[in-house]
Amino acid sequence: QFFQWMVVLRSDHSGNLTPALHSVNLNYKETIPPIPPTGLRIQEKDPSELKLCLKWDLNKEENVKNGGGYILHYGFSPEKMVASIYYMNANKDPISTNGMCINNDLIVLNSDYKQERNLPVFEKGKTYYFKVSAFNDKYDSVVTPDQKSRPSAPVSFTFESDPLD
């Protein structure tokens, strides 16, 4: 990251007064992005309800625990994550649990129908891949996207088809 300024100093039209720049100050606090979460695993599954619970090890960084959170990414291959669900405490309380249960109701609730034309909901017979990223209290997807960790190693799960299908 870099900072750049340009100062243009112009004298008055008569040339009698010349402006001067005496100082420039920059104060900023560099924040390191969180480390990728570890230990992502499937904790519980209910294939009949198309429900899956994932768990991971909580990050040790205080700015992830207090004011930060996690993003669960999922998709149809380990290289292509097509959707994300944010996991954080809305009132900036410390995150106390390290897991999330997902079903189609939660997916629909967290989607934006205007942007999601092919909503990736759970279906029987399909394999899904999951990764999790951590973000700290300085994270903003537009202003400070560098305050999010790289994704964890992926895990996969297949919702088996019904034997009668």
Side-chain angles (χ1 to χ4, degrees), residues 90-107:
N91 38 344
K92 305 284 186 184
D93 291 333
I95 292 177
S96 58
T97 60
N98 56 340
M100 174 188 284
C101 292
I102 343 171
N103 60 14
N104 286 337
D105 292 338
L106 181 66
I107 291 170

Side-chain angles (χ1 to χ4, degrees), residues 37-101:
T38 59
L40 180 61
R41 59 204 175 274
I42 296 169
Q43 179 184 18
E44 183 182 322
K45 51 195 172 272
D46 185 351
S48 64
E49 296 290 322
L50 294 175
K51 178 182 174 184
L52 189 64
C53 296
L54 297 155
K55 192 171 185 158
W56 58 88
D57 301 330
L58 288 176
N59 281 48
K60 304 285 187 233
E61 297 98 337
E62 284 300 318
N63 59 3
V64 172
K65 293 179 193 176
N66 297 306
Y70 298 90
I71 305 170
L72 183 66
H73 312 277
Y74 69 98
F76 304 110
S77 78
E79 295 80 31
K80 185 169 180 161
M81 298 287 121
V82 295
S84 300
I85 298 173
Y86 282 77
Y87 177 68
M88 61 188 169
N89 288 336
N91 38 344
K92 305 284 186 184
D93 291 333
I95 292 177
S96 58
T97 60
N98 56 340
M100 174 188 284
C101 292

Side-chain angles (χ1 to χ4, degrees), residues 142-155:
V142 176
V143 180
T144 54
D146 62 334
Q147 297 305 302
K148 178 178 79 169
S149 75
R150 287 178 285 115
S152 67
V155 296

